[in-house]
Amino acid sequence: DYPELVVALAETISELPDSDELARRTGERWGRRLGVELQRKHPGIDLMGAMTELGFSPVPNGKSSYELRTCPVLVAARRNPKVVCHIHAGLVRALAEPQMGPVEVELLPLASPTGCILNLSPRPAA
């Protein structure tokens, strides 16, 4: 059962040292793979189109802010929001950067009455 597998993986990741970074890197790897697949299926798809296709139902909430009204793994996110949201933040970064360049991604779990808040901003040059 896919949702239970996600719950188990999130629980395991949460017990590891540097779990936040591991979750983010996992999301970025997943996002790069999904980005290639989504571009092949839907040439020119943008970030919000990709997020819609993946089941997040994004709604603009300002210039570079979005409300994610649904979560494809809500059961796991409710049980372990820290890990699941870091994975999703990495996913968003990987999907956003080909169009937007380096970005900072802030994902606030269940920060509104109807979903999570996603904030994007340019990442400062190193």
Side-chain angles (χ1 to χ4, degrees), residues 22-109:
L22 177 61
R24 223 176 278 112
R25 283 195 338 254
T26 299
E28 288 173 1
R29 286 184 181 171
W30 182 35
R32 285 190 292 273
R33 288 184 181 123
L34 285 173
V36 169
E37 180 66 25
L38 287 167
Q39 285 296 325
R40 189 172 63 235
K41 289 168 81 175
H42 308 284
I45 194 169
D46 66 1
L47 176 61
M48 289 304 105
M51 296 299 289
T52 298
E53 183 76 16
L54 295 172
F56 289 95
S57 305
V59 174
N61 189 32
K63 184 177 178 183
S64 58
S65 181
Y66 303 88
E67 183 175 355
L68 304 179
R69 297 259 172 106
T70 57
C71 177
V73 290
L74 186 58
V75 170
R78 284 195 171 138
R79 287 191 187 171
N80 201 324
K82 186 175 176 186
V83 170
V84 173
C85 291
H86 280 304
I87 290 171
H88 286 158
L91 167 74
V92 170
R93 177 180 286 156
L95 292 172
E97 287 189 340
Q99 300 163 19
M100 302 172 69
V103 294
E104 291 294 331
V105 176
E106 177 185 43
L107 185 56
L108 305 171

Side-chain angles (χ1 to χ4, degrees), residues 1-8 72-73 75-76:
D1 180 281
Y2 174 72
E4 285 302 315
L5 173 61
V6 175
V7 168
V73 290
V75 170

